[in-house]
Amino acid sequence: MTPASADGPGAATRPGLTPGLIAALGFVGMAGAVSTDLYLPSFPSLQADLGITEAAVQLTLTAFLIGAAGGQFAVGTVSDALGRRRTLVIALGLFSLVGFAASAAPTIEWLIALRLLQGLTGSVGAALARAIVADLEQGERAARGISILIAMMGLGPVFGSPLGAVLTQWGGWRLALVGLATVATAMFVVALLCIPESLPRERRHPARIGALLRNLGLLARDGAFLGFALAYALSYGAMMVYFGSSSFVVQRVLGESTLVYSLTFVASSIAFVLGGLLNGRLVRRHGAHAMIRIGQGLSLVSALALVAITLAGGLSLWAWIVLTCVFEAGCAMGMSNGSALTLRRAAIAAGAGSAALGLFQFGVAAVVSPIGGLWGSGTALPTVIGMAGVTLLAIAAAAVGRALERRA
């Protein structure tokens, strides 16, 4: 068997980062986002159908995030040894199968376990999409490629949330999960047919645990890498505080319908996409360090404004929409540049670097996502305080990363 046939289309020659490849990577990279966003509108339906608490519903999200943390850690690292394409295709195939099983879960315990497996397998999309960009581009070109990639991943909520709302209205949370599994199947087909191998055999690391752990150990001793990785993860975590409680804030606190909620979520998701695209245009002129500060600043100012309005008792639907849109645009900039700066430090092993980045991303998100439900679903205050607090931590992590990078 030739190298090309062993690893799929394009394995014999190194592919370029073409618009078509970016589009394919963006689509499979949506796996994690779609797994949460398509599912969020069904939270009240799940709670009512199974007769469980809001905290139990949010455990299904936390389980997914824990699984995604472990999955990104494993899949990115293993792909340094086995290649990107093979790892991607196998994991997305399993992601599709687990999705259909989750739609038939008989109890909340089964659903939590299957959501954990969804996280393990679905996390491959974003992890390997980032690694493939890092394989093919360097420096500001890589930062621009990742900005476009993250913007495309942000399209997941644009169709995912309305689709989830419609499916939930038609058939409850189970039909929403069937829809998610169907999208996962489409991702598997795209990976199989459209994404070539980006890591030549001569650049792969031995398929031995010692070699893989050695790469991770090198990255763990790089303080700048850890700082930027935490900045990226905390920006994502702040966004997940918003995601995890947004349906309850809009539907319970503001008294709006499932469809109105999905439209508010679409608006903020479009803002995320626009923030990523704007970052892609500006980063070549101003650099990733300046752009991460701008993005984090936008997120912090909008979150603090939400805190002030909520404390004053004046939170309205339009204030929520406008300020969460600004918040999401800032998160897109913070994540794009945080990811680029992190992977720039991980040139020795892009897969291991992307794996560590994903571990931080979903590990932090799993810890902070329940914050919004701490005081029940009748108030938005813990949600907006959590958004502001986690963003402050992201700013501090980026500052530490920059200081250590300068010292190095």
Side-chain angles (χ1 to χ4, degrees):
M1 182 178 290
T2 65
S5 59
D7 290 324
T13 59
R14 193 183 188 202
L17 194 60
T18 63
L21 180 54
I22 280 284
L25 292 174
F27 181 56
V28 301
M30 293 177 191
V34 173
S35 294
T36 55
D37 303 333
L38 192 151
Y39 177 57
L40 290 176
S42 69
F43 274 16
S45 167
L46 174 62
Q47 183 179 10
D49 185 44
L50 296 184
I52 53 178
T53 65
E54 179 189 343
V57 173
Q58 289 187 327
L59 276 178
T60 64
L61 177 60
T62 300
F64 175 85
L65 295 171
I66 293 171
Q72 289 220 7
F73 176 79
V75 84
T77 307
V78 169
S79 74
D80 276 339
L82 301 183
R84 313 293 187 217
R85 173 185 157 80
R86 184 181 306 169
T87 311
L88 182 66
V89 169
I90 292 172
L92 288 178
L94 293 172
F95 177 53
S96 173
L97 293 175
V98 172
F100 285 110
S103 69
T107 65
I108 186 62
E109 291 79 14
W110 271 103
L111 181 59
I112 289 172
L114 288 166
R115 288 288 288 172
L116 180 73
L117 291 176
Q118 272 190 311
L120 281 167
T121 53
S123 61
V124 65
L128 293 189
R130 285 193 305 263
I132 289 169
V133 171
D135 286 339
L136 301 177
E137 298 290 356
Q138 300 294 325
E140 300 305 333
R141 289 178 62 85
R144 183 172 183 271
I146 289 174
S147 295
I148 297 172
L149 188 65
I150 287 179
M152 290 195 63
M153 292 179 191
L155 290 172
V158 173
F159 77 84
S161 183
L163 178 60
V166 170
L167 293 175
T168 299
Q169 288 186 333
W170 286 352
W173 64 274
R174 293 188 187 276
L175 187 58
L177 285 179
V178 169
L180 171 59
T182 304
V183 173
T185 302
M187 291 175 175
F188 166 74
V189 172
V190 167
L192 186 65
L193 299 179
C194 303
I195 298 179
E197 181 57 64
S198 64
L199 187 67
R201 291 181 180 276
E202 62 272 14
R203 290 177 53 202
R204 298 181 193 177
H205 296 266
R208 296 194 300 267
I209 294 297
L212 300 178
L213 293 178
R214 186 160 53 250
N215 287 335
L216 291 170
L218 290 172
L219 297 176
R221 291 193 291 272
D222 185 342
F225 172 88
L226 296 177
F228 293 136
L230 281 173
Y232 169 86
L234 287 162
S235 289
Y236 180 78
M239 194 168 66
M240 289 308 299
V241 173
Y242 160 62
F243 282 5
S245 297
S246 57
S247 61
F248 291 107
V249 171
V250 174
Q251 295 179 68
R252 298 278 174 83
V253 178
L254 299 178
E256 301 293 342
S257 68
T258 301
L259 183 59
V260 170
Y261 161 67
S262 70
L263 294 176
T264 67
F265 201 80
V266 166
S268 65
S269 301
I270 292 173
F272 182 91
V273 173
L274 294 176
L277 293 175
L278 179 62
N279 185 80
R281 292 182 63 87
L282 296 179
V283 71
R284 287 193 293 181
R285 181 186 307 171
H286 301 291
H289 290 290
M291 293 307 300
I292 195 173
R293 289 194 295 270
I294 292 171
Q296 290 174 333
L298 286 173
S299 293
L300 181 61
V301 168
S302 57
L304 289 175
L306 281 169
V307 172
I309 292 171
T310 303
L311 285 172
L315 184 63
S316 67
L317 179 64
W318 284 108
W320 175 260
I321 291 172
V322 171
L323 290 171
T324 54
C325 283
V326 176
F327 178 81
E328 285 265 288
C331 286
M333 293 181 179
M335 291 172 63
S336 296
N337 296 292
S339 179
L341 291 168
T342 303
L343 293 178
R344 186 182 299 176
R345 306 289 304 180
I348 58 168
S354 187
L357 192 62
L359 177 65
F360 285 3
Q361 173 187 355
F362 288 103
V364 167
V367 171
V368 303
S369 61
I371 288 176
L374 288 180
W375 303 338
S377 58
T379 174
L381 194 58
T383 301
V384 295
I385 289 176
M387 290 160 62
V390 178
T391 301
L392 272 172
L393 292 175
I395 292 172
V400 169
R402 178 59 169 159
L404 292 174
E405 184 181 62
R406 285 174 171 169
R407 184 179 300 175

